[in-house]
Amino acid sequence: MTSKIYKFSSALIGAGRIGFQHEYDEKRIKPASHYGMLIGNKKINFKAICDTNSNNLELIKKNNKNINLYESYKEMIIKEKPDIVSIATWRDTHYEIMDYCSDNGVKAIICEKPISENLKDAKKIVSKLKNLNIPLFINHRRRFDSELIKLKTNNITHYVGEILQVNCFYVYGLLTTGTHLIDTLIYLLENTEGEIKSVLGFSNTSNSFCPTDDPNIDFILFFSSGLKVFVQSLDMKSYDIFEFNFFGKKGKLSLKNIGRDIEQFNIINSPEHKGFTELNFNPKKKLGGKPRNQFGTLINNVIETLNGKSISYSNGDDSIKVMKIIEAIKFSTLKNKKINL
Ligand SMILES: NC(=O)c1ccc[n+]([C@@H]2O[C@H](COP(=O)([O-])OP(=O)(O)OC[C@H]3O[C@@H](n4cnc5c(N)ncnc54)[C@H](O)[C@@H]3O)[C@@H](O)[C@H]2O)c1
């Protein structure tokens, strides 16, 4: 006897790169887009897609004749009445689209990062969604990465002992990509290092390939434990990078490349100086290596939450914390002084 699977209806708004096109990047693990995440799930009835760009809709039509296509998300929400809406549009549209969804019967919202353009809008929409009991899932995708979930559960101190210093690198805009980095730092460090208490920002104009309205900023985060995390921005035109180095009393843990490769380094006797120790050049253990199915974990988290068996791994309050820090870093850079949160 087979038990019936209840399906949640869903719709996608925004069928650009992360919304749709990445599904056809042969190098990426699948699902690689919101489209792939929704089309491939047996518990989802994926009904409709909206994009203001009709060329994107034409591309979808070639791949899938069974999905309803719209140029207006408002019309789509009213006609299709989806339970779950996935938003993969430009960041300056996230707030108004979430607001409309919340007024029109949507039961769960998945939204691309950053949650909004500014802290004020983030606070407004998070409060509204909480009051309406609508769970929110912001795609700060490292929170849906099985290897990072393990690091979080064990704490970084499990791998390196007491943390002494942390440095990190990112590219392409404080709000656009820095949001991932700050969120990941909070996620991995809050259990042992507490909250971020203050920030200090420095503009980086030397290698500033970034969105026109979102500069690369270097910064220091001061945690309540006394830990300082140094973050530097690099040039995405040269190479992509999203890297973390956690230096502890018992070794070092690195998240390398775009966070995919995780290496643990132990301490060895120096081959060169008697009585001295060094970090091993070769990792003692490699923890990552292959890309993880983050979109799969995200949609399972949504379904489990709607079934009352889980809560959002990346909720509105998590994103508000990030937005507060981003605004403080911008202000610190402008005023050229350390800012307390
Ligand atoms: N989580 C991640 O790792 C990750 C990676 C890439 C991009 N993103 C985020 O995803 C979002 C989209 O980025 P992208 O690179 O896919 O951009 P994109 O330009 O390739 O796609 C955005 C699409 O949204 C459509 N759109 C814009 N406003 C709309 C509206 N009001 N109604 C319907 N459609 C609308 C556009 O026509 C476009 O097709 C951004 O917020 C970006 O920061 C996240």
Side-chain angles (χ1 to χ4, degrees):
M1 198 177 79
T2 52
S3 61
K4 197 168 178 244
I5 301 172
Y6 180 72
K7 288 193 175 187
F8 292 105
S9 63
S10 74
L12 167 65
I13 307 173
R17 277 168 295 210
I18 196 82
F20 176 67
Q21 288 152 17
H22 286 341
E23 209 55 36
Y24 295 90
D25 174 347
E26 72 274 9
K27 283 195 171 177
R28 290 178 191 246
I29 187 173
K30 305 299 175 308
S33 64
H34 291 248
Y35 175 89
M37 165 182 84
L38 296 170
I39 201 93
N41 195 298
K42 290 193 173 71
K43 294 174 187 166
I44 300 279
N45 175 16
F46 187 17
K47 294 165 79 177
I49 301 177
C50 162
D51 199 296
T52 42
N53 182 339
S54 57
N55 293 334
N56 287 348
L57 298 180
E58 282 304 316
L59 268 179
I60 290 164
K61 221 190 261 179
K62 279 190 196 151
N63 287 277
N64 187 337
K65 306 253 179 298
N66 303 321
I67 207 142
N68 299 330
L69 303 174
Y70 294 82
E71 285 185 28
S72 154
Y73 72 84
K74 293 184 179 173
E75 188 191 342
M76 179 178 78
I77 301 290
I78 297 301
K79 283 199 178 150
E80 304 283 347
K81 298 184 176 44
D83 297 321
I84 302 168
V85 167
S86 221
I87 303 167
T89 54
W90 302 313
R91 61 172 208 257
D92 60 353
T93 62
H94 294 173
Y95 172 80
E96 60 156 79
I97 297 176
M98 284 193 277
D99 194 48
Y100 189 82
C101 288
S102 69
D103 285 336
N104 289 284
V106 172
K107 293 194 184 114
I109 297 175
I110 302 166
C111 182
E112 265 309 331
K113 59 79 198 166
I115 184 171
S116 60
E117 283 288 85
N118 56 56
L119 179 60
K120 192 168 143 244
D121 285 352
K123 281 183 172 169
K124 253 182 16 198
I125 193 67
V126 170
S127 159
K128 183 168 178 181
L129 294 176
K130 266 192 202 170
N131 288 337
L132 292 166
N133 221 1
I134 299 171
L136 174 63
F137 304 80
I138 297 294
N139 191 19
H140 280 135
R141 62 189 181 87
R142 273 80 191 182
R143 287 182 185 255
F144 303 102
D145 180 325
S146 53
E147 288 297 332
L148 269 76
I149 291 171
K150 273 188 231 158
L151 298 187
K152 160 85 175 177
T153 309
N154 292 334
N155 286 322
I156 300 295
T157 48
H158 169 77
Y159 304 92
V160 304
E162 184 188 331
I163 301 171
L164 298 169
Q165 297 276 10
V166 180
N167 67 25
C168 313
F169 299 92
Y170 78 102
V171 292
Y172 201 58
L174 177 68
L175 184 59
T176 306
T177 317
T179 180
H180 275 306
L181 189 128
I182 294 164
D183 183 67
T184 304
L185 282 168
I186 294 172
Y187 181 65
L188 293 177
L189 294 175
E190 66 187 348
N191 289 348
T192 58
E193 309 306 317
E195 290 180 357
I196 296 168
K197 288 288 185 198
S198 39
V199 303
L200 182 56
F202 315 85
S203 60
N204 177 358
T205 46
S206 64
N207 53 39
S208 278
F209 177 60
C210 55
T212 44
D213 59 348
D214 181 22
N216 288 339
I217 297 182
D218 299 339
F219 53 93
I220 305 173
L221 302 175
F222 299 82
F223 281 76
S224 55
S225 65
L227 178 72
K228 296 191 285 298
V229 174
F230 287 69
V231 182
Q232 289 170 286
S233 50
L234 286 163
D235 176 22
M236 192 167 78
K237 279 199 173 161
S238 300
Y239 43 82
D240 198 0
I241 187 165
F242 186 77
E243 180 173 310
F244 299 68
N245 295 296
F246 299 93
F247 294 87
K249 284 201 166 170
K250 294 188 176 158
K252 172 184 160 188
L253 188 80
S254 292
L255 269 69
K256 294 167 64 175
N257 300 320
I258 50 171
R260 176 187 62 246
D261 301 311
I262 306 169
E263 294 181 342
Q264 188 182 1
F265 299 87
N266 60 340
I267 301 170
I268 55 165
N269 288 326
S270 167
E272 192 180 344
H273 293 160
K274 192 177 169 206
F276 284 78
T277 53
E278 296 175 7
L279 283 169
N280 200 344
F281 177 73
N282 298 308
K284 177 187 158 198
K285 215 170 172 183
K286 292 188 179 184
L287 301 164
K290 287 190 182 145
R292 276 77 69 180
N293 180 0
Q294 297 162 348
F295 271 116
T297 305
L298 166 57
I299 195 65
N300 286 339
N301 183 216
V302 177
I303 292 165
E304 292 284 288
T305 301
L306 283 173
N307 283 328
K309 293 180 185 154
S310 187
I311 54 170
S312 170
Y313 293 172
S314 181
N315 65 32
D317 287 329
D318 298 322
S319 283
I320 284 177
K321 282 186 196 166
V322 177
M323 292 301 289
K324 269 187 190 160
I325 289 157
I326 286 175
E327 293 210 347
I329 292 169
K330 281 187 193 166
F331 191 60
S332 163
T333 310
L334 194 69
K335 296 285 170 196
N336 206 11
K337 65 173 191 182
K338 189 174 168 186
I339 300 294
N340 294 325
L341 283 134

